[in-house]
Amino acid sequence: DAGVIQSPRHEVTEMGQEVTLRCKPISGHNSLFWYRQTMMRGLELLIYFNNNVPIDDSGMPEDRFSAKMPNASFSTLKIQPSEPRDSAVYFCASRAGTGGNYGYTFGSGTRLTVV
Amino acid sequence: TQLLEQSPQFLSIQEGENLTVYCNSSSVFSSLQWYRQEPGEGPVLLVTVVTGGEVKKLKRLTFQFGDARKDSSLHITAAQPGDTGLYLCAGGKGAQKLVFGQGTRLTINP
């Protein structure tokens, strides 16, 4: 299995531009999570889906952030308009089940820099 | 809010030494997971513990879940430079999302 695949690995954009991050979870995993990681705040959960349905988006910073999961094999996180404070590493993770015994498999992340 | 506090936040030791990092909470968790993250990569699952008092060993790494299922520890014996990384604990409650600690950044010097 290729694992969780994220693209792009790096993104540099100007303030005000739209940014779209992409994620392909592991086939058969029914939960998908979007995280943001910074040195100051650590790993923050933004939103997660079970069976393609958004369950908890309380971590989404503001209306500039939106996430979709149109099918079981693809999800996007969009920031519009982007701001310098959005600069961080964004991780996607998937999980095979909904119980606490199931571990998360993380992608390699997208390093976003907004200038 | 369920919080997991990890200590120490930073640890730098010499190769060959032993170390222990801690993960504490006031909440009870049904499971506790440990992850290691290397620079430029996502966290990778090391172990899951589910029973109070449970001890699991992974080569030189020993993981323990507290009897009350509120805390956990990770002990590394004879640390090696390859153990360098960010160690994250994460608590689970049934079908809910995991709660991650802030991590312990470990550096093993040759």
Coordinates of all heavy atoms in Angstrom, one line a residue, chain B residues 13-16 19 36-39 46 59-61 76-87 106-110:
Chain B
I13 N 20.3 14.0 25.1 CA 21.2 13.2 25.9 C 22.2 12.5 24.9 O 22.2 12.6 23.7 CB 20.4 12.1 26.6 CG1 19.7 11.1 25.6 CG2 19.4 12.6 27.5 CD1 19.1 9.9 26.2
Q14 N 23.2 11.9 25.5 CA 24.3 11.2 24.8 C 23.8 9.8 24.4 O 23.1 9.1 25.1 CB 25.6 11.2 25.6 CG 26.2 12.5 25.9 CD 26.5 13.2 24.6 OE1 26.0 14.3 24.3 NE2 27.4 12.6 23.8
E15 N 24.4 9.3 23.3 CA 24.2 8.0 22.9 C 24.5 7.0 24.0 O 25.5 7.2 24.7 CB 25.0 7.7 21.6 CG 24.9 6.3 21.0 CD 25.7 6.2 19.8 OE1 26.4 7.1 19.4 OE2 25.7 5.1 19.2
G16 N 23.7 6.0 24.2 CA 24.0 5.0 25.2 C 23.2 5.2 26.5 O 23.1 4.3 27.3
L19 N 16.5 6.9 29.0 CA 15.6 8.0 29.2 C 14.1 7.6 29.3 O 13.8 6.5 28.9 CB 15.7 9.0 28.0 CG 15.2 8.5 26.7 CD1 13.9 9.2 26.4 CD2 16.2 8.7 25.6
R36 N 6.1 8.5 16.7 CA 7.4 9.2 16.5 C 7.3 9.9 15.1 O 6.9 9.3 14.1 CB 8.5 8.2 16.5 CG 9.9 8.9 16.3 CD 11.1 8.0 16.6 NE 11.1 6.9 15.6 CZ 11.7 5.8 15.9 NH1 12.2 5.5 17.1 NH2 11.7 4.8 15.0
Q37 N 7.8 11.1 15.2 CA 7.8 12.0 14.0 C 9.2 12.4 13.7 O 9.9 13.0 14.5 CB 6.9 13.2 14.1 CG 6.8 14.0 12.9 CD 5.8 15.2 13.0 OE1 5.5 15.6 14.1 NE2 5.4 15.8 11.9
E38 N 9.7 12.1 12.5 CA 11.0 12.6 12.0 C 10.8 13.8 11.2 O 9.8 14.1 10.6 CB 11.7 11.5 11.3 CG 11.9 10.2 12.2 CD 12.7 9.2 11.5 OE1 13.4 9.5 10.5 OE2 12.7 8.0 12.0
P39 N 11.9 14.6 11.1 CA 11.8 15.9 10.3 C 11.3 15.7 8.9 O 11.8 14.7 8.2 CB 13.2 16.4 10.3 CG 13.8 15.9 11.6 CD 13.2 14.5 11.7
L46 N 3.8 3.9 16.8 CA 4.7 3.0 17.4 C 4.0 1.9 18.2 O 4.3 0.7 18.0 CB 5.7 3.7 18.4 CG 6.6 4.7 17.9 CD1 7.4 5.4 19.0 CD2 7.6 4.1 16.9
K59 N 11.6 -3.6 20.9 CA 13.1 -3.6 21.0 C 13.6 -2.8 22.2 O 13.4 -3.3 23.3 CB 13.6 -3.0 19.7 CG 13.3 -3.8 18.4 CD 13.9 -3.2 17.2 CE 13.6 -4.1 16.0 NZ 14.1 -3.5 14.7
R60 N 14.2 -1.7 22.1 CA 14.7 -1.0 23.2 C 13.7 0.0 23.8 O 14.0 0.7 24.8 CB 16.0 -0.2 22.8 CG 17.2 -1.1 22.4 CD 18.3 -0.2 21.8 NE 18.0 0.4 20.6 CZ 17.6 1.7 20.5 NH1 17.6 2.4 21.6 NH2 17.3 2.2 19.3
L61 N 12.5 0.0 23.3 CA 11.5 0.9 23.8 C 10.5 0.2 24.6 O 10.0 -0.9 24.2 CB 10.7 1.6 22.6 CG 11.4 2.8 21.9 CD1 12.8 2.5 21.3 CD2 10.5 3.4 20.8
I76 N 13.3 4.5 26.9 CA 14.3 4.0 25.9 C 15.6 3.6 26.6 O 16.1 4.4 27.4 CB 14.5 5.1 24.8 CG1 13.2 5.5 24.2 CG2 15.5 4.6 23.8 CD1 13.4 6.6 23.1
T77 N 16.0 2.4 26.3 CA 17.3 1.9 26.8 C 18.4 2.1 25.8 O 18.2 1.8 24.6 CB 17.1 0.4 27.2 OG1 16.0 0.3 28.1 CG2 18.4 -0.1 27.8
A78 N 19.5 2.5 26.3 CA 20.7 2.6 25.4 C 20.3 3.4 24.1 O 20.4 2.9 23.0 CB 21.3 1.3 25.1
A79 N 20.0 4.6 24.3 CA 19.5 5.5 23.2 C 20.5 5.6 22.1 O 21.7 5.6 22.3 CB 19.1 6.8 23.7
Q80 N 20.0 5.6 20.8 CA 20.9 5.7 19.7 C 20.4 6.9 18.9 O 19.3 7.4 18.9 CB 20.7 4.4 18.8 CG 21.1 3.2 19.5 CD 20.9 1.9 18.7 OE1 20.5 2.0 17.5 NE2 21.3 0.8 19.3
P81 N 21.4 7.5 18.1 CA 21.0 8.6 17.2 C 19.8 8.5 16.4 O 19.0 9.4 16.2 CB 22.3 8.8 16.4 CG 23.4 8.3 17.2 CD 22.8 7.1 17.9
G82 N 19.5 7.2 16.0 CA 18.3 7.0 15.2 C 17.0 7.1 16.0 O 15.9 7.1 15.4
D83 N 17.1 7.2 17.3 CA 15.9 7.5 18.1 C 15.5 8.9 18.1 O 14.4 9.3 18.7 CB 16.1 7.0 19.6 CG 16.4 5.5 19.7 OD1 15.8 4.7 18.9 OD2 17.2 5.1 20.6
T84 N 16.3 9.8 17.6 CA 16.0 11.2 17.6 C 14.7 11.5 16.8 O 14.4 10.9 15.8 CB 17.2 12.0 16.8 OG1 18.3 11.9 17.7 CG2 16.8 13.4 16.6
G85 N 13.9 12.3 17.4 CA 12.6 12.7 16.8 C 11.7 13.3 17.8 O 12.0 13.5 18.9
L86 N 10.5 13.6 17.3 CA 9.4 14.1 18.1 C 8.5 13.0 18.5 O 8.0 12.3 17.7 CB 8.6 15.2 17.4 CG 7.4 15.8 18.1 CD1 7.9 16.7 19.3 CD2 6.6 16.7 17.1
Y87 N 8.3 12.8 19.8 CA 7.5 11.7 20.3 C 6.2 12.3 20.8 O 6.1 13.1 21.7 CB 8.2 10.9 21.4 CG 9.3 10.1 20.9 CD1 10.6 10.6 20.6 CD2 9.2 8.7 20.7 CE1 11.6 9.9 20.1 CE2 10.2 7.9 20.2 CZ 11.4 8.5 19.9 OH 12.4 7.7 19.4
L106 N 13.2 14.8 21.2 CA 14.3 14.1 21.7 C 15.5 14.2 20.7 O 15.3 13.9 19.5 CB 13.9 12.6 21.9 CG 15.0 11.6 22.3 CD1 15.5 12.0 23.7 CD2 14.5 10.2 22.3
T107 N 16.6 14.5 21.3 CA 17.9 14.5 20.5 C 18.9 13.6 21.1 O 19.2 13.7 22.3 CB 18.4 15.9 20.4 OG1 17.5 16.8 19.8 CG2 19.7 15.9 19.5
I108 N 19.4 12.6 20.4 CA 20.4 11.7 20.9 C 21.7 12.1 20.2 O 21.9 12.0 18.9 CB 20.1 10.3 20.6 CG1 18.7 9.9 21.0 CG2 21.1 9.4 21.2 CD1 18.5 10.1 22.5
N109 N 22.7 12.5 20.9 CA 24.0 13.0 20.4 C 25.0 11.8 20.3 O 25.1 11.1 21.3 CB 24.5 14.1 21.3 CG 23.6 15.3 21.4 OD1 23.2 15.9 20.4 ND2 23.1 15.5 22.6
P110 N 25.7 11.7 19.2 CA 26.6 10.6 19.0 C 27.8 10.8 20.0 O 28.2 11.9 20.4 CB 27.1 10.7 17.6 CG 26.1 11.6 16.9 CD 25.5 12.5 18.0

